[in-house]
């Protein structure tokens, strides 16, 4: 039993999981330190405000709000929805960078691909009247259109590298700026 536990702890995958968890905990601790520093140097916050801030950093997804000045804890579907709404694009963009990294490529163009995919998704979703087509089909078309737009935008640096031997990192940085200005 003890040997199998040690073998599991020595596996590369287990080490990566522990490293990820440690990184998350360090990030949360740094956030708590920032809250303490702000609370100590800003008049009017006090120890109670600092403690509430630290609780929200570690368990904010479970906060329902305040009642009579006290934090109330429990399942909050709005907080979960907001978290998923904000985290999903970041997770998907991170996955695009991770997949490129696994193939030996360095994708610094993910922000531009995200912006172009988002723009295409919104253009498709907002341009189709929901009276002419089923809403689920509009969602599907917008999703697929966004994926295709992001992929095509990501293909530009690849094509420049393949046909003109232009550095893909520089091309990605330039396409990021182009995407930001086009979307703006």
């Amino acid at each position: 039993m003890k040997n199998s536990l040690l073998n599991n702890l020595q596996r590369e995958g287990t080490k990566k999981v522990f490293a990820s968890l440690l990184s998350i905990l360090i990030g949360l601790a740094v956030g708590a330190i920032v809250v303490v520093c702000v609370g100590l140097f800003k008049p009017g916050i006090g120890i109670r405000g600092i403690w509430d801030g630290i609780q929200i950093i570690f368990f904010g997804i479970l906060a329902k709000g305040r009642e009579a000045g006290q934090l109330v804890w429990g399942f909050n579907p709005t907080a979960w929805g907001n978290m998923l709404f904000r985290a999903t694009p970041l997770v998907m963009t991170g996955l695009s960078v991770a997949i490129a990294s696994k193939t030996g490529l360095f994708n610094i163009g993910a922000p531009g691909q995200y912006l172009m995919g988002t723009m295409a998704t919104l253009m498709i979703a907002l341009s189709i009247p929901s009276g002419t087509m089923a809403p689920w089909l509009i969602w599907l078309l917008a999703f697929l259109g966004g994926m295709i737009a992001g992929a095509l935008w990501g293909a530009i640096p690849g094509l420049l590298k393949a046909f003109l031997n232009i550095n893909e990192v520089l091309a990605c940085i330039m396409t990021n700026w182009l995407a930001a200005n086009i979307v703006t």
Side-chain angles (χ1 to χ4, degrees):
M1 177 72 178
K2 189 174 181 181
N3 285 338
S4 66
L5 180 63
L6 285 175
N7 287 339
N8 285 336
L9 291 175
Q10 292 175 349
R11 288 186 181 166
E12 192 64 31
T14 307
K15 289 178 184 177
K16 287 181 180 180
V17 168
F18 280 134
S20 297
L21 291 175
L22 183 63
S23 298
I24 291 168
L25 287 174
I26 290 171
L28 291 171
V30 169
I33 291 168
V34 169
V35 167
V36 169
C37 290
V38 169
L40 291 175
F41 295 110
K42 185 159 175 102
I45 291 183
I47 299 297
R48 179 72 183 163
I50 293 171
W51 177 242
D52 285 350
I54 291 172
Q55 285 179 315
I56 288 173
I57 284 176
F58 282 92
F59 308 108
I61 196 69
L62 299 173
K64 291 178 91 172
R66 290 187 179 274
E67 288 180 12
Q70 300 290 331
L71 283 174
V72 179
W73 302 98
F75 178 71
N76 184 352
T78 304
W80 281 88
N82 286 335
M83 184 260 312
L84 291 173
F85 172 74
R86 292 181 191 341
T88 301
L90 296 173
V91 169
M92 298 303 272
T93 304
L95 284 173
S96 74
V97 173
I99 289 170
S101 177
K102 282 289 186 184
T103 63
L105 298 172
F106 183 64
N107 182 12
I108 199 166
Q113 295 158 24
Y114 166 73
L115 287 171
M116 294 308 281
T118 302
M119 183 181 74
T121 300
L122 287 172
M123 288 175 66
I124 293 168
L126 297 175
S127 66
I128 302 173
S130 59
T132 61
M133 192 179 290
W136 67 268
L137 190 55
I138 295 172
W139 277 89
L140 181 65
L141 289 173
F143 179 72
L144 293 174
M147 284 178 25
I148 292 168
L152 289 174
W153 194 257
I156 293 171
L159 292 171
L160 290 173
K161 174 69 174 178
F163 292 116
L164 301 174
N165 200 27
I166 294 174
N167 185 317
E168 65 273 9
V169 173
L170 294 176
C172 283
I173 292 171
M174 288 188 284
T175 56
N176 284 345
W177 280 101
L178 285 172
N181 286 308
I182 289 169
V183 170
T184 300

